[in-house]
Amino acid sequence: SRFSSRSLTTHGVPADRVVIVPLGAAPVRPLAAPAPGDITRSGPLRVMFAGKISFHKGCHVLLEAWSLFDSRDAVLVLAGRNELPPALTAARGVELAGSRPQAGLFSLMNQCDLLVLPTLSDSFGMVVTEALMHGLPVLTTANAGAADLIVEGRTGWIVPAGDAAALCARLRWGGANLA
């Protein structure tokens, strides 16, 4: 990614020694009919994070933004292994979905309106590619290599890393326009 390239050259690796090799993803598959009991994409805004629920991934910033977000019926689904203190994840509207196999993660994506990857530093973030292949818009930071895939306002949005106010502003926009 361009982010990885910039990080390497900033730390002294000669630019002519760095090659960006884009990652790919499987082709988009038609969505299967929902199984009995599955939640479909309607109703209140459903925001998803997928990955290690950690400080490095910026989840504390996302939870701060979520606390500023004023929608009473919106849901933030955190899918992955939780490494944050329970006090941080015990906020209104937050669901801990735990770790899931890829098929379970993809099923969860089909139930949500927006994927958020608020990473502080991530060389890529394959979950962004997976979300896009499922038609899910992505809100990420400029410190995610996968930000290279985002067409601002079309496939998602990019905010500065660590900026809870910017994340909250996009969540408010999403609450009004995505659900």
Side-chain angles (χ1 to χ4, degrees):
S1 67
R2 291 183 303 204
F3 175 72
S4 296
S5 175
R6 283 190 309 272
S7 297
L8 291 168
T9 56
T10 298
H11 289 91
V13 175
D16 63 346
R17 298 208 36 158
V18 178
V19 176
I20 297 173
V21 180
L23 295 175
V28 176
R29 286 175 264 150
L31 298 179
D38 273 1
I39 299 169
T40 57
R41 291 174 70 176
S42 64
L45 179 70
R46 290 184 58 85
V47 177
M48 177 182 179
F49 168 86
K52 185 174 17 171
I53 303 166
S54 67
F55 290 104
H56 172 80
K57 294 289 186 176
C59 292
H60 62 297
V61 179
L62 175 57
L63 289 163
E64 180 184 348
W66 193 254
S67 73
L68 300 171
F69 182 52
D70 53 8
S71 179
R72 296 273 175 227
D73 56 353
V75 177
L76 173 61
V77 179
L78 302 175
R81 186 177 79 234
N82 184 19
E83 295 184 354
L84 294 179
L88 285 180
T89 58
R92 173 195 48 78
V94 174
E95 293 179 6
L96 291 173
S99 296
R100 294 177 177 235
Q102 188 179 54
L105 186 63
F106 290 172
S107 176
L108 194 56
M109 285 180 179
N110 292 334
Q111 299 170 33
C112 292
D113 301 296
L114 175 69
L115 177 96
V116 179
L117 178 63
T119 186
L120 301 179
S121 179
D122 215 317
S123 63
F124 192 75
M126 193 63 180
V127 70
V128 170
T129 305
E130 293 166 341
L132 292 172
M133 85 179 202
H134 282 86
L136 201 57
V138 174
L139 172 56
T140 192
T141 72
N143 288 9
D148 289 354
L149 302 176
I150 303 303
V151 178
E152 188 73 24
R154 190 163 163 224
T155 59
W157 304 269
I158 301 168
V159 297
D163 190 337
L167 274 173
C168 182
R170 269 298 156 208
L171 290 171
R172 285 187 178 129
W173 182 92
N177 295 288
L178 292 174

